Amino acid sequence: MNAQPEPSRSPSSGLGPAGPHDPEHDLTASYALEPGYVRGLTDRVVSSSGQSVATYCPFNGQPLAMIPQSSSADVAEAYQRARRAQEAWATTPLDDRVEKMLALHDLILDRQSEIIDLICWESGKARKHAFDEPMHVAMTARYYARTAHEHLDSARRTGVVPGLTRVEVNRVPKGVVGIISPWNYPFTMALSDGLPALMAGNVIVHKPDAQTMLSALLAMELLEEAGFPKDLWQIVAGPGRVLGGPMIGRSDYVCFTGSTATGKLIARQAAENLIGCSLELGGKNPMLILRDAGVDRAAEGAVRASFSSGGQLCVSMERMFVADQIYDRFVRRFVEHTLAMRLAAGLDWGTDMGSLISQDQLDTVVAHVDDAVAKGARVLAGGRARPDLGPYYYEPTILEGVTPDMTCFGHETFGPVVSLYRFHDEADAVARANAGEYGLNASIYSQDGKRARAIARQITCGTVNINEAFGATFASVDTPMGGMRDSGLGRRQGAEGIHRYTEAQTVGTQRLIRFAPMFGMSDKTYARVMTANLRVMKGLRRR
Ligand code: NAD
């Protein structure tokens, strides 16, 4: 695993030269970004508290921005602005919304380099992993633009008396959607969940994670540039445990992505307010490498599956079950690939893994690996921090011999640590993959697609990727994505991803007959006629 020198800049970034801008005397200055550029973004936070909190760049631990903090009054103000904006937005013709969504798609592709730079500075991830974010947002924008009419137009359905009862279902926007998002994919976790809400006529109040505010603020700037009205997307900043309650109390729906522990708190508050919520939570995702898997392909896939974004990816793999017949060959190739990974700080393409985001993340990774090693696990690759590269670097790590008494056996590490397990019997592998409380994402490697798809049906996960780690499902935005069991509630993407932000309203128009006795009929005769009608309808195979 090689080190690269100092962070370098992308010439097309549009950001200023690498600092320092003397943050000691100017708290709005930073080592990496132009103060004016940062202020242009942070001015968008709804904040009158006069308080700011610094964020730091994981590449070098240096200050990056001062983020203005929102008080409870600021949260109330954000919701007021949002509600005013929603009245006009809900009546904006769908085709106008579609046009803006497609303009956003183009803008994101045009400003891709700047977006990626900012994500790297804030999250410390490698450029190739940051690239996934604008790509995913552009795909989502295109998808919901192209399917807006299919998902949102009023739809005729079968009335109770065919020909005489006309029924249609309208998709009414919920109103103001509260989004609470994490730090790991700060650009796409904001926009990809928010865009369908906007498309359906809602507006957003968003609380990004404190560590990655700038990426979310840039998303807000891009929305305005694409032609979306100014107040449609409000951003508030502050600790989740402080702002969460006031947000949920004012929202008509809440979309949360983060840990299972916080998700359960959000669900309770949503229940008290009788609003819907979608919860995208944690996982301990399994990969099954069957005896007929292509070993090279599986080994290459295993690297992306485990170490993308330093393993700080909800759908990444932390448990690998490998068939006895190919175990040794697979492990040899996987370890070779992992040892060849290039770790570095900076914005350049060609880095295979960047930094973890924070000291907290590093502490968790160190604790999980040290605990496993102390209890007898073997380290096949990695297993150590790399302070020579940056304060939070940790090598991609492969463990063998992990047992149930070790923390990393069942607890999510959310870092670059994967445990290998040998299996002899596929049914046993499926049972072990399904063990535990989570159910987010799984992967199966096999050259027999039909057999792999049959096994996929036995896996208790919201998504299963065959011969791929997570991209086949996550990037297929026409399909629902989300977790079973403790990995979540509800789905993002596809029809489910936009319908969650709407109320289904049924309008029925009755002609000629009424639902009561007519022509002097008694109640008893009416009941008899209606009963006969039910028998006829079944006979006619009506639904
Ligand atoms: P977290 O739950 O601590 O924080 C996520 C967000 O919730 C942040 O914005 C935070 O400020 C806010 N928050 C924290 N406490 C809150 C409270 N009491 N009320 C309201 N908001 C609160 O999660 P994290 O540790 O920062 O993120 C990592 C976790 O997120 C991992 O478990 C990971 O698997 C999960 N995740 C899941 C998905 C998915 O799509 N399923 C995607 C990304 C991350």
Side-chain angles (χ1 to χ4, degrees):
M1 281 167 269
N2 309 317
Q4 256 192 338
E6 286 296 288
S8 63
R9 305 201 50 76
S10 140
S12 59
S13 70
L15 308 179
H21 288 284
D22 191 12
E24 204 181 322
H25 303 296
D26 174 5
L27 287 179
T28 60
S30 86
Y31 281 94
L33 306 170
E34 285 280 11
Y37 179 85
V38 170
R39 263 196 302 273
L41 296 174
T42 55
D43 280 352
R44 293 175 173 275
V45 177
V46 184
S47 168
S48 61
S49 70
Q51 293 180 348
S52 293
V53 166
T55 61
Y56 297 87
C57 176
F59 286 143
N60 51 20
Q62 297 298 327
L64 199 58
M66 294 299 291
I67 307 293
Q69 299 295 287
S70 309
S71 62
S72 304
D74 293 323
V75 173
E77 169 65 18
Y79 276 82
Q80 260 176 26
R81 285 187 207 169
R83 284 219 180 271
R84 277 196 299 271
Q86 205 255 335
E87 282 171 27
W89 182 241
T91 58
T92 301
L94 194 52
D95 286 333
D96 287 5
R97 294 185 219 156
V98 166
E99 211 176 284
K100 293 177 186 9
M101 201 63 78
L102 292 173
L104 179 72
H105 171 275
D106 293 348
L107 195 59
I108 284 172
L109 297 188
D110 292 347
R111 300 213 3 217
Q112 192 185 134
S113 185
E114 174 192 349
I115 297 166
I116 295 174
D117 283 357
L118 196 56
I119 294 170
C120 289
W121 282 122
E122 274 202 317
S123 69
K125 65 175 75 173
R127 190 168 198 83
K128 67 178 175 187
H129 301 140
F131 165 75
D132 290 348
E133 298 208 42
M135 185 175 74
H136 186 244
V137 174
M139 288 162 74
T140 305
R142 187 190 71 206
Y143 170 73
Y144 282 115
R146 297 288 186 226
T147 57
H149 283 284
E150 176 189 326
H151 294 319
L152 298 172
D153 282 354
S154 297
R156 288 283 289 274
R157 303 282 273 270
T158 310
V160 57
V161 185
L164 298 183
T165 316
R166 171 196 162 121
V167 277
E168 57 214 351
V169 178
N170 298 327
R171 290 284 168 184
V172 180
K174 294 261 187 190
V176 182
V177 172
I179 295 184
I180 300 176
S181 60
W183 43 263
N184 64 332
Y185 276 70
F187 190 71
T188 191
M189 288 295 135
L191 279 180
S192 293
D193 276 321
L195 293 183
L198 292 183
M199 184 54 89
N202 301 279
V203 297
I204 311 282
V205 176
H206 176 201
K207 194 209 81 60
D209 190 276
Q211 297 172 92
T212 48
M213 292 293 299
L214 297 180
S215 302
L217 289 162
L218 177 59
M220 189 180 168
E221 181 182 298
L222 294 171
L223 283 166
E224 269 177 47
E225 271 189 54
F228 286 87
K230 190 165 180 297
D231 281 339
L232 287 196
W233 195 292
Q234 303 287 330
I235 291 196
V236 292
R241 64 179 187 288
V242 177
L243 300 192
M247 282 183 70
I248 295 167
R250 291 182 174 87
S251 295
D252 300 303
Y253 186 88
V254 61
C255 166
F256 172 78
T257 307
S259 63
T260 297
T262 310
K264 287 182 178 177
L265 286 175
I266 302 278
R268 268 183 228 126
Q269 294 174 65
E272 267 167 30
N273 288 282
L274 222 54
I275 60 168
C277 62
S278 53
L279 308 169
E280 303 289 344
L281 310 176
K284 188 74 188 174
N285 305 311
M287 183 182 238
L288 277 69
I289 299 161
L290 307 186
R291 62 180 182 276
D292 62 352
V295 168
D296 283 338
R297 183 167 179 175
E300 182 276 332
V303 170
R304 277 181 299 110
S306 310
F307 307 131
S308 291
S309 243
Q312 301 167 120
L313 168 62
C314 55
V315 287
S316 74
M317 300 295 155
E318 296 194 357
R319 301 182 295 151
M320 246 164 234
F321 300 92
V322 188
D324 200 17
Q325 294 89 336
I326 59 165
Y327 186 90
D328 294 334
R329 274 190 299 139
F330 167 79
V331 171
R332 201 166 41 246
R333 295 294 290 139
F334 182 31
V335 169
E336 272 168 24
H337 281 302
T338 302
L339 291 175
M341 283 174 72
R342 209 172 132 80
L343 266 57
L347 306 184
D348 293 341
W349 294 104
T351 300
D352 293 317
M353 201 178 96
S355 175
L356 301 180
I357 192 157
S358 63
Q359 188 64 47
D360 276 359
Q361 278 295 109
L362 179 63
D363 289 347
T364 305
V365 170
V366 169
H368 280 206
V369 174
D370 288 359
D371 166 77
V373 171
K375 291 173 180 163
R378 292 174 296 283
V379 175
L380 303 188
R384 60 188 181 128
R386 288 294 296 271
D388 53 317
L389 299 177
Y392 317 129
Y393 276 77
Y394 197 91
E395 290 186 347
T397 298
I398 305 174
L399 299 178
E400 204 181 38
V402 170
T403 49
D405 58 322
M406 302 176 189
T407 310
C408 70
F409 181 84
H411 290 90
E412 183 186 38
T413 306
F414 212 53
V417 182
V418 63
S419 308
L420 297 178
Y421 305 95
R422 191 188 284 265
F423 73 82
H424 310 282
D425 171 52
E426 272 171 15
D428 173 53
V430 169
R432 288 157 74 189
N434 284 338
E437 303 305 321
Y438 290 118
L440 189 59
N441 181 45
S443 166
I444 301 175
Y445 274 76
S446 163
Q447 295 188 62
D448 182 345
K450 193 170 170 202
R451 203 163 69 82
R453 281 190 293 278
I455 291 175
R457 294 178 71 91
Q458 302 166 37
I459 301 282
T460 319
C461 283
T463 50
V464 183
N465 295 266
I466 293 168
N467 293 329
E468 186 44 69
F470 48 80
T473 54
F474 203 86
S476 297
V477 291
D478 191 22
T479 61
M481 190 267 153
M484 297 184 185
R485 303 193 287 187
D486 271 7
S487 289
L489 199 64
R491 295 288 182 268
R492 56 163 58 111
Q493 306 196 154
E496 290 85 346
I498 190 164
H499 284 162
R500 65 184 154 155
Y501 298 127
T502 65
E503 297 284 5
Q505 179 200 48
T506 302
V507 178
T509 309
Q510 190 59 39
R511 287 191 290 146
L512 300 178
I513 62 159
R514 61 189 189 207
F515 292 100
M518 292 186 297
F519 316 117
M521 219 183 248
S522 69
D523 283 342
K524 189 174 174 189
T525 310
Y526 173 74
R528 205 177 298 135
V529 170
M530 291 309 280
T531 304
N533 180 46
L534 289 183
R535 295 190 198 288
V536 170
M537 293 300 260
K538 179 174 178 256
L540 292 174
R541 308 185 79 83
R542 300 300 297 241
R543 57 160 80 184

